[in-house]
Amino acid sequence: MEMENSQVPSQDILELILSKVPLKPRTRFKCVSRDWNALITDLRRSHPLTTASGLVFSFKKLSKNPIYQLNLLQAVQDRSQSCTMQSSLTHDLPWLIDSCNGLLLFGSKDGVSLTYLVASPLRNQWLKLPPPGHGVSVQVSASLAFDGVRQHFKVICQFWEDADIKNGTLKYQIFSSQAWEWKEYNGRIPDSDLWLSKGFNCEEWYCPSLYRKGQVYWIWSLYLLVFNEKKPSFELMELPKTKPPLMSLYCGKRLWESEDHLHYCDSTYVGFYIWEQMEHNSNGCRSMWRLKHYIRIDELVSRNYPDDLVFLISPVTVKPCAFNEDLQVLYFQLPGTIVAYSFETRKSVKVQSDSAIGKSFHDKVFPFMFNAVDLHGI
């Protein structure tokens, strides 16, 4: 009655409501009717979704005086806007290690010494952490833990090469910005007998990690290693396997969170299998996974490269790097290119091209949240 009295067309009311619905459920509403299908399709053109999610990537520009370049890429629907930021640091800019809710973790080396730095790139702020007590010769996985709410962060270093299989322990160090110090621990892994499983390789430690809800997740060969920063404690969880068994490409595995569930991308020579964790019980029940998406590698590559270049690209060079939940887009790194693959349209578009992308082992592409974190307030 109010709508009739105010003489507001019902179509305008419907358009306003649908414009506030997240992309995934809104897309499902297309099947309601032809009118809804046309309206929602038009909404995508007239009211493109905005998102605070984006990408950060760092690579080395080759020249007589090499420059390490840091790029932030924020996307709106199929369009992208990039902002190149160069560090204000005067010494050799280190390699990018991790990204977490608007903060970045870098590492640098000077001889046998190792230094970690945390940056807030939107404010061009840097913090140099105290010496961690381990050198560059030690195999270590460093992860940043920052929830974007509390006024402090942690850096967690895992020494997976020193894992004690017999006693089921793993050495690790934690830096707390609140205490401004490093502490070393020996953590016990309750399910360490899984290390004896056929096919497990303790040297297959894949980064980057994923930080969500106070826990850090790493892909460790056949399993997820989960660290609870509040207890603190470790847990091993089995990863899903494709049927029939396919050879996985370890360099293409990735973790992300979507719709409050953990997602795992397994890269094989034929395509990417994306699994969703449906259930996990801390009382000992195994986690349940379901296959959610499958993306063929040849289809992804052929849409972005001419035929004479497709056969030169190996599946090893096609790597997933981030997921944007707002846009339902998965970003891939290809040689010299970053591509966005839409789960809504099942199409891919180039969002960034640079010949330097993917040229070096230290080149990294991570998800980035455009939060202007004030490091001086931490």
Side-chain angles (χ1 to χ4, degrees), residues 266-287:
D266 185 15
S267 173
T268 72
Y269 277 94
V270 295
F272 297 91
Y273 291 82
I274 299 171
W275 302 82
E276 179 182 23
Q277 187 187 53
M278 300 303 297
E279 178 182 317
H280 177 65
N281 191 323
S282 58
N283 295 325
C285 296
R286 292 184 177 182
S287 58

Side-chain angles (χ1 to χ4, degrees), residues 14-81:
L14 178 60
E15 181 176 327
L16 179 62
I17 294 173
L18 289 175
S19 68
K20 298 182 181 299
V21 176
L23 177 60
K24 193 169 183 179
R26 188 205 295 178
T27 302
R28 288 199 293 263
F29 293 159
K30 285 185 175 183
C31 65
V32 172
S33 67
R34 291 183 179 180
D35 290 340
W36 277 46
N37 191 330
L39 175 60
I40 292 172
T41 301
D42 184 62
L43 272 176
R44 292 281 275 140
R45 300 190 186 100
S46 58
H47 296 83
L49 291 175
T50 58
T51 174
S53 301
L55 297 176
V56 56
F57 54 98
S58 175
F59 53 87
K60 188 175 181 178
K61 289 284 190 179
L62 299 177
S63 63
K64 291 183 179 179
N65 298 311
I67 299 174
Y68 290 83
Q69 189 164 302
L70 183 68
N71 292 267
L72 300 179
L73 184 70
Q74 189 170 21
V76 178
Q77 208 162 334
D78 291 340
R79 299 184 294 277
S80 64
Q81 181 179 1

Side-chain angles (χ1 to χ4, degrees), residues 219-262:
I219 298 174
W220 194 6
S221 190
L222 305 176
Y223 307 106
L224 279 180
L225 179 67
V226 187
F227 176 72
N228 189 320
E229 65 167 334
K230 295 180 180 179
K231 293 186 180 180
S233 63
F234 285 98
E235 182 183 5
L236 276 180
M237 297 165 50
E238 290 191 65
L239 288 170
K241 298 178 182 178
T242 57
K243 295 180 181 180
L246 297 170
M247 183 178 293
S248 294
L249 298 171
Y250 213 66
C251 58
K253 297 178 183 291
R254 201 77 185 201
L255 297 170
W256 65 80
E257 183 179 14
S258 177
E259 298 177 297
D260 206 35
H261 286 171
L262 182 67

Side-chain angles (χ1 to χ4, degrees), residues 116-119 125-129 153 177 180 375-376 378:
Y116 291 109
L117 301 97
V118 173
Q125 295 176 345
W126 298 77
L127 286 179
K128 184 178 180 180
L129 307 188
F153 63 84
S177 64
W180 201 253
L375 281 176
H376 296 160
I378 290 181

Side-chain angles (χ1 to χ4, degrees), residues 84-97:
T84 299
M85 295 182 170
Q86 293 191 5
S87 168
S88 60
L89 298 179
T90 55
H91 63 76
D92 186 22
L93 185 65
W95 61 90
L96 181 62
I97 297 176

Side-chain angles (χ1 to χ4, degrees), residues 180-233:
W180 201 253
E181 63 178 357
W182 290 91
K183 287 188 177 181
E184 186 171 311
Y185 307 87
N186 268 317
R188 180 165 295 280
I189 303 178
D191 300 322
S192 57
D193 57 321
L194 295 176
W195 289 348
L196 304 176
S197 302
K198 183 180 179 181
F200 176 77
N201 183 353
C202 64
E203 295 183 359
E204 289 182 347
W205 183 285
Y206 184 76
C207 290
S209 60
L210 173 68
Y211 177 75
R212 64 185 290 263
K213 298 181 179 179
Q215 297 190 118
V216 186
Y217 295 78
W218 296 272
I219 298 174
W220 194 6
S221 190
L222 305 176
Y223 307 106
L224 279 180
L225 179 67
V226 187
F227 176 72
N228 189 320
E229 65 167 334
K230 295 180 180 179
K231 293 186 180 180
S233 63

